[in-house]
Amino acid sequence: MKNLLDELILHQKSRLFTLAKEIIPYITTDDLLQPCDFPELENHAYFRYEEGLLAGLFTVQSAFLSQERQNDFFESD
């Protein structure tokens, strides 16, 4: 499951960057850490949607890792 989540996140990051490059050709991956600095991205509904999908994947990954650590903690007794 962890590998699948990693793949999905990597794919979504790539998709988001590709979309951002279509909107702002000179954008870098570092710029995507603060998309609010770019009004073209901030006000682009499809970009915000794709960004939301990435945020959702990060949330799922975080929950999965937390559950995995909790299971490891209780199984080690």
Side-chain angles (χ1 to χ4, degrees):
M1 181 68 150
K2 181 185 178 313
N3 290 339
L4 175 61
L5 285 170
D6 290 344
E7 277 185 49
L8 289 170
I9 288 170
L10 187 60
H11 175 75
Q12 189 60 24
K13 281 182 175 181
S14 174
R15 187 175 167 124
L16 190 64
F17 182 62
T18 299
L19 176 60
K21 292 284 275 184
E22 289 175 12
I23 300 165
I24 305 172
Y26 59 86
I27 201 154
T28 67
T29 53
D30 285 343
D31 292 333
L32 290 183
L33 298 174
Q34 294 294 328
C36 58
D37 291 344
F38 299 89
E40 303 95 324
L41 298 180
E42 187 72 12
N43 299 314
H44 196 282
Y46 189 61
F47 176 84
R48 299 304 282 185
Y49 171 79
E50 293 292 338
E51 185 183 39
L53 289 177
L54 181 59
L57 288 170
F58 279 132
T59 300
V60 170
Q61 183 185 46
S62 178
F64 175 77
L65 293 174
S66 176
Q67 182 66 43
E68 199 174 58
R69 287 184 184 118
Q70 188 176 15
N71 288 345
D72 288 347
F73 176 78
F74 287 114
E75 290 173 1
S76 66
D77 287 338

